[in-house]
Amino acid sequence: MSTYTIGEVAEATGFSASALRYYEGIGLVAPTTRTGGGYRVYDDGALARLAFVARAKSLRCTLDEITDLVAVWDGTCEPVQRRFHDVVTAKLAETRRRLAELETLRRQLEDAAAQLAGPAVDGPCDGDCACMRVGGAEAGG
């Protein structure tokens, strides 16, 4: 089994040394041992765990979610995969909901832009001008 310094782990994983120290502090990863001088030494298992952390982060998992996932990391994949599936499925549902909201907003913006592209009312903004209309109806009503 190979061992790595924090600098080597940082270079191999793309996480900064300060991020690795922070991850150690919150329990995401731990050095295998420390040298007599107190330097952290990591093994291949730590690199695998950090690869998982990077994957979870790429799927927009929060550090709390990742910590929860790592808590079931016991050497077998099944509990991690099952929990990861639950987290990812929930994120997928939330993303679909947000996309639907964004699609509604897109339509509203297109309607507003079309209304605002027309001629302006000669005078102050009131119920007859495009500034006060939302989807063809007066604002607030």
Side-chain angles (χ1 to χ4, degrees), residues 9 17 19 34 37 54 56 64 75-76 86 110 114 124:
V9 172
R34 287 190 182 249
D64 285 341
T76 58
D86 293 344
E110 286 175 347

Side-chain angles (χ1 to χ4, degrees), residues 29-120:
V29 68
T32 308
T33 188
R34 287 190 182 249
T35 65
Y39 294 102
R40 293 164 174 85
V41 177
Y42 298 87
D43 62 12
D44 292 325
L47 289 180
R49 186 177 283 218
L50 288 165
F52 173 76
V53 169
R55 171 73 171 141
K57 284 178 62 84
S58 76
L59 294 173
R60 305 293 175 129
C61 291
T62 66
L63 284 179
D64 285 341
E65 290 167 333
I66 296 169
T67 301
D68 180 53
L69 291 165
V70 167
V72 297
W73 187 289
D74 67 358
T76 58
C77 182
E78 183 181 359
V80 178
Q81 182 173 332
R82 214 175 353 187
R83 179 69 185 118
F84 200 16
H85 176 265
D86 293 344
V87 170
V88 168
T89 301
K91 288 193 174 301
L92 179 59
E94 174 63 15
T95 299
R96 286 179 174 149
R97 184 192 63 73
R98 290 175 62 199
L99 284 170
E101 288 176 357
L102 286 170
E103 182 59 28
T104 298
L105 176 60
R106 182 194 60 80
R107 286 191 302 270
Q108 290 172 347
L109 290 169
E110 286 175 347
D111 289 347
Q115 290 173 11
L116 293 166

